[in-house]
Amino acid sequence: MATNIVIPFSRRNFLAAGAGIITASIFSPFSIALGKPKERLGIALVGLGYYSTDLLAPALQKTKNCYLAGIVTGTPEKAETWKKKHNIPDKNIYNYKNFDSIANNPDIDVVYIVLPPSMHKEFVIRAAKAGKHVFCEKPMALNVQECEEMIKVCTENKRSLSIGYRCQHDPNTQEYMRIAREKSLGNVQLISCAAGYKESRADNWKVKKSMGGGAMYDMGVYALQGARLAAGAEPISVTAEIVINRPEIFKDADEITHFQLQFPGGTVANCTGSHGLNTNFLKVNYDKGTLYMDSFSGYTGNKGYSTLGEINFPVDNQQAKQMDEDALAIMQSKPVLVPGEEGMRDIRIVQAIYQAAQTGKR
């Protein structure tokens, strides 16, 4: 089943909204001093699924500016396992009902939200109101309104909000961002970008639209980030198409989403976010050369080359680098690298992509 889609955007309105977001990004108090200086910030992971268990917890064994101080889980068996494995004291273990009492725990400075996207807004807001800084996994939320509420509450409570875009902390990503920013190879003409894997779990939240599942929210955000960062600009319109090859699994969420972004000056990006095929690459054509990354958004081994030479900056652990840099920004009262406004920029476009796919309009 294929649905052709196009998304209507007023360039004037889009750019005006983008300008407002950029202004907020510059002046919002993302990072606030914690009072008594700490050498390391204590982090509590909220949600103990695969990403927390297999990636964030091991990464926190390598961090210098932060450490695993607590956990929040609705599964008592998981709490007991983590308690023993990571030597977490009982007073730093919470469930979703007593979570708000984390406000009284000086051991925990940052709450890292690693839940399905439909739960992000609730727990970001609860964490900020509890006086904790917040790291939130991508996608930031289900829609722009939720993003705005999250940013507003964090700002009102003078708490930092950082979105878990680990790739923006990766020097390989920063290199193709630099090439666009400095126009080292001239203007960007054409971008091709895709991110995906084959999801076959019919009961997983990633295939449930109400929980924030779907290829566009999950893998499509990587392709969207790749295109935006490589272009060094914001899109002014989009067209899109959703393809469902396995309706028995993808009953209401998108399996594969193809989308095309149009940028100011004529730059075009052809992108795919997929739960139906394995893919991960970024290709950019400039006036004076090309760039190719394979992979461009993996957990490890992102590398490639351009007309200027090889792009291969090994990173020991992306998640550790991300959390260390965000923790240091908080301790130094500086802006975090990827604030909530950046997450909201993507969600604004994701909503437009879905609208285009549903209406068949640009």
Side-chain angles (χ1 to χ4, degrees), residues 117-129:
S118 59
M119 301 174 72
H120 285 184
K121 185 189 82 166
E122 176 188 350
F123 280 89
V124 166
I125 288 175
R126 289 172 70 179
K129 287 184 175 180

Side-chain angles (χ1 to χ4, degrees), residues 73-126:
T73 178
T75 308
E77 294 79 11
K78 285 186 179 181
E80 192 62 27
T81 299
W82 279 65
K83 172 185 173 180
K84 293 177 180 178
K85 182 175 182 179
H86 298 289
N87 196 28
I88 299 173
D90 288 334
K91 66 184 181 68
N92 291 357
I93 298 175
Y94 298 85
N95 57 48
Y96 299 125
K97 292 183 179 179
N98 68 11
F99 172 77
D100 302 297
S101 63
I102 205 169
N104 304 316
N105 193 332
D107 292 350
I108 296 170
D109 306 293
V110 180
V111 170
Y112 197 147
I113 311 300
V114 201
L115 296 166
S118 59
M119 301 174 72
H120 285 184
K121 185 189 82 166
E122 176 188 350
F123 280 89
V124 166
I125 288 175
R126 289 172 70 179

Side-chain angles (χ1 to χ4, degrees), residues 55-70:
L55 293 161
L56 294 179
L60 283 164
Q61 308 307 310
K62 298 183 176 185
T63 46
K64 299 177 181 178
N65 301 321
C66 53
Y67 68 98
L68 178 60

Side-chain angles (χ1 to χ4, degrees), residues 9 56 61 85 92 98 112 131 137-138 142 144 155 167 169 182 188 220 234 247 258 279 310 333 335:
F9 260 12
L56 294 179
Q61 308 307 310
K85 182 175 182 179
N92 291 357
N98 68 11
Y112 197 147
E137 261 311 303
K138 67 90 192 149
L142 298 182
V144 171
T155 301
C167 290
H169 295 263
E182 298 179 0
V188 178
E234 297 301 316
H258 303 294
T279 183
E310 185 180 22
S333 296

